[in-house]
């Protein structure tokens, strides 16, 4: 019997569970659910999803997000700054509302189909055809989506990927989304005799923002498939593969198993609940993080206003300038925004429109640059009301701008923002990158953080290479080395086509050790990383 001889449903779990869950209701008396293993559960589909949500909430990986940088480091700023945990909770809040609206539409369609409602709902019909939209699944996805973020957020992610590929010889490198999936399916534990949290197929699939492995896109050139026709996140690197991906080869089978429950979802396309989470993440990042930037004083009215207003005033002239001229003089106000527009129009011509972009720039200029930022934040009641009011208005504006499509553009997804909101989020993200992430003010701390992450990886690699002292390395690291290596040997026997590079015994062992080191270092909080760095590099 093959693995999928028993139909995989949304509520299917990877492994049979012989023990009841601590999160299961004692009063569940709704229909049973059959899992992939053929075992019968004792709760409804809804109960299964609630169990998954609680498993994620109780995970130590979820708790550690309270000390992982969101955008701006918390040190020296105070408790008002977002971290990955508070960000995830706010993504969940936005996702709940969006998913609830879609679930309501689906319920209206189903009532019409049963003859219990006078009017159908076209959006609801699409949602049902695609496999449904459950509010709890969307919340679970939001809670879990950042579990794989290493210390220091995206900076740590980039450093781990570079060091893994350049220094450890691990072609797959490191990717936060793939690490999230690995945590849920392999690394975390329930104290049972199987790996991972054993989540339902719906919840596993809901975190697959980029439902492919890195190697899936190796060898695919722009001649084979233009960048503008590829899923968002793939990039254009036929040598190294996808830029963003949601599964390492070790979890490729889990990815396939999760998506098998959604036959109506095309290859490379997110499930409905995953798309809801992705949209909610964009909204929360674009709006909620502005709370931090405003309170911390890192967004300056003069600089932001100059960039936006100059572009609005010289829109026509900038559009006529050659790209090389804009790039050579990018520091002058208006030019960075023009470069952002050209990048958007090149990659996303299916939705990008200069007129809509101009309207978005005007709105952000009016409400953020010359509105919220026009009066410096001083910690008083009036300042706090201004920040909270701005956030509330924009969250409501964006989460009510949802489009559902049965046959979406490959870069859009079944659930997305409408054209107006899509451009507004793009402009808000531009403000983030240009006036926060790329500012010299963060450069010193970021260089120090990058050194911490790199030295941890190389330090543990050196430790495990020491024939005398390797056995005294941290117990969890040693166990993960054994587990990763064993899994890679199994993969080399069962599905060797998934493995790139050296698959000899030596190569497999080297790869297993590298993956375990990345698992270990990425599991640290910011403070744990700094402390471990001090211990590894301390002399005497």
């Amino acid at each position: 019997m093959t693995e999928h001889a028993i139909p995989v449903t949304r509520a299917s779990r990877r492994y049979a569970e012989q023990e009841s869950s601590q999160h299961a209701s004692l009063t569940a008396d709704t229909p049973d659910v059959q899992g992939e293993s053929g075992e019968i559960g004792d709760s409804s589909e809804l109960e299964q999803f609630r169990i998954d949500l609680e498993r994620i909430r109780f995970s130590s990986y979820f708790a550690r997000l309270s000390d992982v940088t969101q955008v701006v480091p918390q040190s020296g700023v105070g408790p008002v700054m977002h971290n990955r945990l508070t960000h995830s909770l706010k993504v969940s809040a936005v996702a709940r509302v969006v998913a609830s609206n879609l679930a309501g539409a689906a319920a209206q369609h189903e009532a019409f189909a049963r003859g219990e409602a006078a009017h159908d709902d076209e959006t609801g019909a699409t949602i049902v055809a695609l496999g449904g939209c459950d509010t709890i699944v969307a919340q679970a996805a939001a809670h879990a989506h950042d579990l794989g973020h290493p210390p220091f957020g995206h900076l740590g992610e980039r450093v781990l990927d570079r060091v893994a590929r350049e220094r450890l010889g691990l072609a797959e490198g490191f990717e936060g989304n793939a690490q999230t999936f690995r945590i849920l399916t392999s690394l975390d534990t329930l104290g049972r005799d199987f790996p991972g949290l054993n989540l339902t197929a719906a919840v596993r699939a809901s975190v697959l923002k980029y439902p492919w492995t890195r190697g899936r896109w190796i060898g695919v050139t722009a001649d084979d498939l233009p960048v503008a026709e590829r899923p968002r996140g793939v990039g254009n690197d036929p040598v190294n593969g996808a830029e963003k991906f949601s599964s390492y080869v070790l979890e490729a089978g889990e990815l396939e198993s999760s998506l098998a429950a959604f036959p109506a979802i095309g290859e490379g396309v997110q499930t409905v609940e995953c798309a809801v989470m992705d949209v909610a993440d964009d909204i929360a990042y674009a709006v909620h993080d502005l709370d931090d930037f405003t309170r911390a004083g890192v967004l300056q009215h003069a600089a932001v206003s100059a960039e936006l207003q100059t572009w609005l005033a010289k829109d026509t002239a900038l559009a006529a300038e050659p790209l090389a001229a804009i790039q050579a003089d990018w520091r002058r106000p208006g030019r960075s925004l023009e470069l952002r527009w050209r990048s958007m129009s090149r990659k996303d011509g299916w939705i990008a429109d200069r007129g809509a972009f101009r309207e978005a720039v005007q709105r952000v200029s009016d409400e953020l640059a010359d509105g919220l930022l026009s009066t410096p934040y001083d910690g008083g009641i009036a300042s706090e009301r201004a920040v909270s009011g701005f956030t509330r208005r924009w969250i409501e504006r964006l989460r009510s701008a949802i489009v559902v499509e049965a046959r979406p553009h490959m870069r859009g997804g079944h659930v997305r923002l409408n054209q107006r909101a899509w451009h507004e989020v793009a402009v808000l993200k531009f403000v983030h990158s240009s006036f926060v992430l790329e500012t010299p003010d963060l450069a010193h701390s970021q260089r120090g953080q990058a050194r911490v992450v790199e030295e941890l990886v190389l330090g543990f690699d050196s430790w495990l290479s020491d024939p005398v002292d390797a056995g005294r390395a941290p117990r969890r690291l040693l166990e993960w080395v054994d587990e990763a290596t064993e899994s890679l040997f199994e993969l080399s026997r069962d599905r060797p086509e998934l493995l790139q590079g050296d698959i000899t015994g030596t190569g497999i062992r080297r790869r297993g050790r590298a993956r375990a080191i990345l698992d270990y270092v990425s599991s640290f909080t910011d403070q744990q990383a700094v402390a471990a760095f001090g211990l590894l590099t301390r002399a005497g």
Side-chain angles (χ1 to χ4, degrees):
M1 182 177 292
T2 62
E3 181 179 352
H4 298 309
I6 297 171
V8 180
T9 68
R10 284 170 52 88
S12 296
R13 298 191 185 277
R14 185 71 172 82
Y15 303 99
E17 296 194 0
Q18 307 302 328
E19 304 174 36
S20 63
S21 170
Q22 64 172 317
H23 304 298
S25 170
L26 295 177
T27 59
D29 55 3
T30 43
D32 294 341
V33 176
Q34 186 173 16
E36 293 176 40
S37 63
E39 297 294 327
I40 302 298
D42 60 356
S43 302
S44 67
E45 183 178 87
L46 182 61
E47 179 73 3
Q48 297 299 317
F49 298 152
R50 285 174 174 156
I51 289 172
D52 283 359
L53 177 58
E54 296 309 313
R55 285 180 176 178
I56 293 168
R57 285 173 170 169
F58 273 65
S59 167
S60 60
Y61 283 92
F62 185 62
R64 70 172 276 276
L65 294 180
S66 64
D67 187 26
V68 177
T69 297
Q70 169 65 8
V71 177
V72 179
Q74 298 181 75
S75 57
V77 180
V80 297
M81 302 299 288
H82 283 88
N83 52 52
R84 287 282 163 186
L85 179 61
T86 55
H87 166 73
S88 296
L89 293 174
K90 291 189 175 182
V91 174
S92 181
V94 176
R96 181 189 63 80
V97 174
V98 174
S100 179
N101 291 338
L102 298 184
Q108 173 69 22
H109 166 71
E110 291 177 323
F112 176 80
R114 294 191 302 267
E116 300 172 0
H119 303 288
D120 197 0
D121 190 296
E122 183 177 348
T123 295
T126 300
I127 294 296
V128 171
L130 293 172
C133 181
D134 187 273
T135 303
I136 297 175
V137 172
Q139 287 180 275
H143 276 61
H145 83 285
D146 269 351
L147 293 181
H149 265 290
F152 314 121
H154 287 296
L155 171 70
E157 184 179 20
R158 292 192 298 270
V159 173
L160 284 178
D161 185 50
R162 175 180 57 80
V163 175
R165 293 198 279 172
E166 296 178 1
R167 304 294 295 275
L168 301 187
L170 188 61
E172 273 194 305
F174 180 89
E175 217 290 324
N177 291 281
Q179 194 67 22
T180 289
F181 196 60
R182 179 160 169 76
I183 287 168
L184 295 175
T185 59
S186 299
L187 298 181
D188 209 343
T189 178
L190 292 171
R192 313 285 180 85
D193 57 357
F194 48 73
L197 296 182
N198 199 26
L199 304 175
T200 60
V203 173
R204 280 179 280 148
S206 72
V207 300
L208 297 173
K209 291 175 64 173
Y210 310 100
W212 51 79
T213 62
R214 176 166 251 161
R216 161 66 179 81
W217 292 90
I218 290 177
V220 183
T221 67
D223 291 334
D224 299 323
L225 188 65
V227 175
E229 297 177 15
R230 302 181 180 196
R232 182 168 51 93
V234 167
N236 183 27
D237 188 346
V239 175
N240 296 308
E243 290 180 3
K244 307 292 289 183
F245 54 101
S246 283
S247 175
Y248 301 120
V249 291
L250 282 171
E251 285 75 46
E254 289 278 5
L255 179 145
E256 295 162 359
S257 171
S258 303
L259 296 178
F262 297 88
I265 302 294
E267 181 182 1
V269 181
Q270 300 169 341
T271 64
V272 171
E273 287 117 341
C274 182
V276 168
M277 175 270 288
D278 202 8
V279 168
D281 190 22
D282 270 350
I283 293 173
Y285 175 78
V287 180
H288 280 303
D289 286 355
L290 289 172
D291 295 8
D292 292 347
F293 306 152
T294 301
R295 292 186 176 99
V298 296
L299 275 183
Q300 299 299 317
H301 167 259
V304 177
S305 181
E307 181 70 29
L308 302 182
Q309 288 294 334
T310 299
W311 187 89
L312 289 168
K314 299 182 177 180
D315 176 9
T316 304
L318 287 170
E321 284 196 41
L323 177 61
I326 297 288
Q327 291 173 329
D329 204 18
W330 66 271
R331 291 182 182 276
R332 290 178 59 189
R335 281 156 173 75
S336 290
L337 188 53
E338 176 64 23
L339 289 174
R340 178 60 59 90
W341 158 251
R342 295 191 186 192
S343 175
M344 291 166 51
S345 61
R346 182 178 68 256
K347 294 179 180 179
D348 290 294
W350 64 280
I351 189 173
D353 176 82
R354 196 170 180 94
F357 184 72
R358 180 182 175 83
E359 291 178 3
V361 173
Q362 185 67 66
R363 179 173 290 276
V364 173
S365 178
D366 292 344
E367 297 193 20
L368 175 63
D370 295 329
L372 181 63
L373 300 180
S374 62
T375 303
Y377 180 84
D378 61 8
I381 294 175
S383 289
E384 192 57 37
R385 284 175 175 165
V387 172
S388 299
F390 174 90
T391 301
R392 175 180 49 77
R393 290 192 304 273
W394 273 87
I395 290 292
E396 178 59 31
R397 176 179 177 81
L398 295 175
R399 74 183 183 189
S400 62
I402 300 298
V403 173
V404 176
E405 293 181 314
R407 295 177 179 81
H409 189 278
M410 180 57 73
R411 292 181 62 83
H414 290 294
V415 180
R416 62 171 176 85
L417 294 170
N418 65 23
Q419 188 180 54
R420 169 190 60 77
W422 185 87
H423 285 85
E424 291 170 349
V425 166
V427 175
L428 290 171
K429 285 185 173 181
F430 166 80
V431 173
H432 287 203
S433 62
S434 295
F435 299 100
V436 180
L437 298 181
E438 298 172 7
T439 59
D441 294 342
L442 292 180
H444 282 167
S445 62
Q446 288 175 338
R447 286 188 66 84
Q449 292 165 353
R451 184 190 170 205
V452 167
V453 174
E454 180 169 0
E455 291 297 330
L456 282 175
V457 173
L458 298 179
F460 284 119
D461 186 50
S462 176
W463 194 347
L464 293 177
S465 301
D466 188 331
V468 176
D469 202 36
R472 294 202 304 150
R475 176 56 49 188
R476 178 177 291 187
L477 175 57
L478 293 174
E479 291 174 349
W480 279 350
V481 169
D482 291 341
E483 291 176 3
T485 303
E486 180 181 353
S487 296
L488 284 166
F489 271 116
E490 292 178 1
L491 196 64
S492 69
R493 291 191 300 267
D494 300 338
R495 302 186 65 178
E497 74 280 2
L498 292 176
L499 295 174
Q500 303 290 327
D502 184 4
I503 58 172
T504 64
T506 299
I508 291 293
R509 291 186 182 90
R510 178 63 177 165
R511 188 179 302 194
R513 186 171 76 185
R515 177 57 62 203
I517 291 171
L518 296 179
D519 290 339
Y520 190 66
V521 173
S522 67
S523 72
F524 290 168
T525 66
D526 291 3
Q527 294 304 311
Q528 287 173 334
V530 172
F533 170 78
L535 292 173
L536 277 179
T537 59
R538 182 180 301 156

